[in-house]
Amino acid sequence: MPLSIRNQFPGTVKEVKLGAVMAEIIVQVGDNQFVSAITKDAAEDLALKAGDKVTVLVKSTSVMIQK
Amino acid sequence: MPLSIRNQFPGTVKEVKLGAVMAEIIVQVGDNQFVSAITKDAAEDLALKAGDKVTVLVKSTSVMIQK
Amino acid sequence: MPLSIRNQFPGTVKEVKLGAVMAEIIVQVGDNQFVSAITKDAAEDLALKAGDKVTVLVKSTSVMIQK
Amino acid sequence: MPLSIRNQFPGTVKEVKLGAVMAEIIVQVGDNQFVSAITKDAAEDLALKAGDKVTVLVKSTSVMIQK
Amino acid sequence: MPLSIRNQFPGTVKEVKLGAVMAEIIVQVGDNQFVSAITKDAAEDLALKAGDKVTVLVKSTSVMIQK
Amino acid sequence: MPLSIRNQFPGTVKEVKLGAVMAEIIVQVGDNQFVSAITKDAAEDLALKAGDKVTVLVKSTSVMIQK
């Protein structure tokens, strides 16, 4: 089912770090590494682990620019 | 000056579309295209135009994951 | 494909208002009405119109509380 | 005092989970459960606990759509 | 009614600019000027105009740092 | 290098609190105190500590208004 989220990039999970409430997920997308901070519950529900094929999602209003 | 923003990807502006209050900027980053929605004032202050070398910035709490 | 986004509520589009860059979408979810501001491009890509069955998505870090 | 925040839904706190910096709050709103990730300090300042009557707040730019 | 939003600063509206969907509001807070992009509907519902006494609100997860 | 981020306020770090994944940073800006929730990795990469001169950054779409 398509999403209104404009930025959708396929990648591979490199690392999952769980905290008490939040989790940090590193995803390799081409030559770039994305850092994602989601809830620990979300990371556990998706059973995220290194090697998983995932899609990274970012709303366009969350994308800033430096020139 | 370094930023707390974890995701910083160099790219090239492909297109700038100005609205009354907001602007949409397309940035090519490697094989991926980012869509950024910023204020028109920000786009004008940075004088963003196709061909500009820029860096795309995304906070880690703005990065979601689909598996 | 499951999402890390914790808040997912099925609803029905009531109204679509297009601006130059952004669009406002009203979605009925049970007794509540959600207002969503997405890019016009996203609204057009999803061909959103009144009556569409959709799912409203909200990250947990975007949910604030008033007591 | 009215807020610019478009989405305001009354509900009841079901669960409060405190981490070191962040807290996760579950709020029942009609038939739906909202998950909110706020700072632990905010949760403690509001003295949030199960049974509290609260209002869930979401900016319209934080509401995404899946069709 | 208290809010989970950590950053609350009283100020005065300096300027209101309305687009088709979004609005830009300039608020003077002490020596600093805040720029706020909210929906036009929100600006109209609050009847925002220059001179209004308002409070600017920012979630702590929206505050980034440059050193 | 200039940023599309509209709100940039110079200040001084008052306190740094590290969690497992997230960190909370208190920054004094004039008469106001900002609370920032960033990842612990970001706080450590910037080596943030009390007394540091920093700039607080907030996107205009993250600034809400209460009247």
Side-chain angles (χ1 to χ4, degrees):
Chain A
M1 291 192 297
L3 294 159
S4 65
I5 305 165
R6 297 284 83 191
N7 300 285
Q8 307 189 17
F9 308 125
T12 304
V13 174
K14 304 307 282 183
E15 190 184 341
V16 174
K17 180 164 53 173
L18 300 180
V21 166
M22 299 295 282
E24 187 176 282
I25 318 294
I26 311 294
V27 181
Q28 187 78 34
V29 174
D31 293 335
N32 292 316
Q33 280 204 342
F34 278 75
V35 180
S36 166
I38 59 177
T39 59
K40 188 185 72 161
D41 287 356
E44 291 179 341
D45 279 7
L46 296 184
L48 290 176
K49 62 185 183 304
D52 282 355
K53 297 299 177 192
V54 296
T55 300
V56 156
L57 307 171
V58 182
K59 276 186 311 143
S60 56
T61 49
S62 299
V63 179
M64 300 163 281
I65 291 178
Q66 184 176 41
K67 183 177 166 183
Chain B
M1 291 191 298
L3 295 159
S4 65
I5 305 166
R6 297 284 82 193
N7 300 284
Q8 306 190 19
F9 308 125
T12 304
V13 174
K14 304 306 281 183
E15 191 184 339
V16 174
K17 182 164 51 172
L18 300 180
V21 167
M22 299 293 284
E24 188 177 284
I25 318 295
I26 312 293
V27 182
Q28 188 77 33
V29 174
D31 294 336
N32 293 315
Q33 279 204 342
F34 278 75
V35 181
S36 167
I38 59 178
T39 59
K40 188 185 70 159
D41 287 356
E44 292 179 341
D45 278 7
L46 296 184
L48 290 176
K49 60 183 185 305
D52 282 355
K53 298 299 177 192
V54 295
T55 300
V56 156
L57 306 172
V58 182
K59 274 187 312 144
S60 55
T61 49
S62 297
V63 178
M64 301 164 279
I65 291 178
Q66 183 176 42
K67 185 177 166 184
Chain C
M1 292 192 297
L3 295 159
S4 65
I5 305 165
R6 297 284 82 193
N7 298 285
Q8 306 190 19
F9 308 125
T12 304
V13 174
K14 303 308 281 183
E15 190 183 340
V16 174
K17 182 164 52 172
L18 300 180
V21 166
M22 299 294 283
E24 188 177 283
I25 318 294
I26 311 294
V27 181
Q28 188 77 34
V29 173
D31 294 337
N32 293 314
Q33 280 205 341
F34 278 76
V35 180
S36 167
I38 59 177
T39 59
K40 188 186 70 159
D41 287 356
E44 292 179 341
D45 279 6
L46 296 184
L48 290 176
K49 61 183 183 306
D52 283 355
K53 298 297 178 194
V54 296
T55 300
V56 156
L57 306 172
V58 182
K59 275 187 311 144
S60 56
T61 48
S62 298
V63 179
M64 299 163 282
I65 291 177
Q66 185 176 40
K67 184 178 166 183
Chain D
M1 291 191 297
L3 295 160
S4 65
I5 305 166
R6 296 284 84 191
N7 299 285
Q8 306 190 18
F9 308 125
T12 304
V13 174
K14 304 307 282 183
E15 189 184 341
V16 174
K17 181 163 52 172
L18 300 179
V21 166
M22 299 293 284
E24 189 177 282
I25 318 294
I26 311 293
V27 181
Q28 188 77 34
V29 174
D31 293 337
N32 293 315
Q33 280 204 343
F34 278 76
V35 180
S36 167
I38 59 177
T39 58
K40 188 186 70 160
D41 286 356
E44 292 179 340
D45 278 7
L46 296 184
L48 290 176
K49 62 185 183 304
D52 282 355
K53 298 299 177 192
V54 295
T55 299
V56 155
L57 307 172
V58 181
K59 276 187 311 145
S60 56
T61 49
S62 298
V63 179
M64 300 163 281
I65 292 178
Q66 184 175 42
K67 184 176 168 183
Chain E
M1 291 191 297
L3 294 160
S4 64
I5 305 166
R6 297 285 84 192
N7 299 284
Q8 306 189 19
F9 307 125
T12 304
V13 174
K14 305 306 281 184
E15 189 184 341
V16 174
K17 182 163 53 171
L18 299 181
V21 166
M22 300 293 284
E24 188 177 282
I25 317 296
I26 311 294
V27 181
Q28 188 77 34
V29 174
D31 294 335
N32 293 314
Q33 279 205 341
F34 278 74
V35 181
S36 167
I38 60 178
T39 59
K40 187 185 71 160
D41 287 356
E44 293 180 340
D45 279 7
L46 296 184
L48 290 176
K49 61 184 184 306
D52 282 355
K53 298 298 177 193
V54 296
T55 300
V56 156
L57 307 172
V58 182
K59 276 187 311 145
S60 55
T61 49
S62 298
V63 179
M64 300 163 280
I65 292 178
Q66 185 176 40
K67 185 178 167 182
Chain F
M1 291 191 296
L3 295 160
S4 65
I5 305 165
R6 295 284 84 190
N7 299 285
Q8 307 189 18
F9 308 125
T12 304
V13 174
K14 304 308 279 183
E15 189 185 341
V16 174
K17 181 165 52 172
L18 300 180
V21 166
M22 299 294 283
E24 189 177 281
I25 318 295
I26 311 294
V27 181
Q28 188 78 32
V29 174
D31 293 336
N32 293 314
Q33 280 205 341
F34 278 76
V35 181
S36 167
I38 59 178
T39 58
K40 188 186 70 161
D41 286 356
E44 292 179 340
D45 279 8
L46 295 184
L48 290 175
K49 61 186 183 305
D52 282 356
K53 298 298 178 193
V54 296
T55 300
V56 156
L57 307 171
V58 182
K59 276 187 311 145
S60 56
T61 49
S62 298
V63 179
M64 300 164 281
I65 292 178
Q66 184 176 42
K67 185 178 166 182

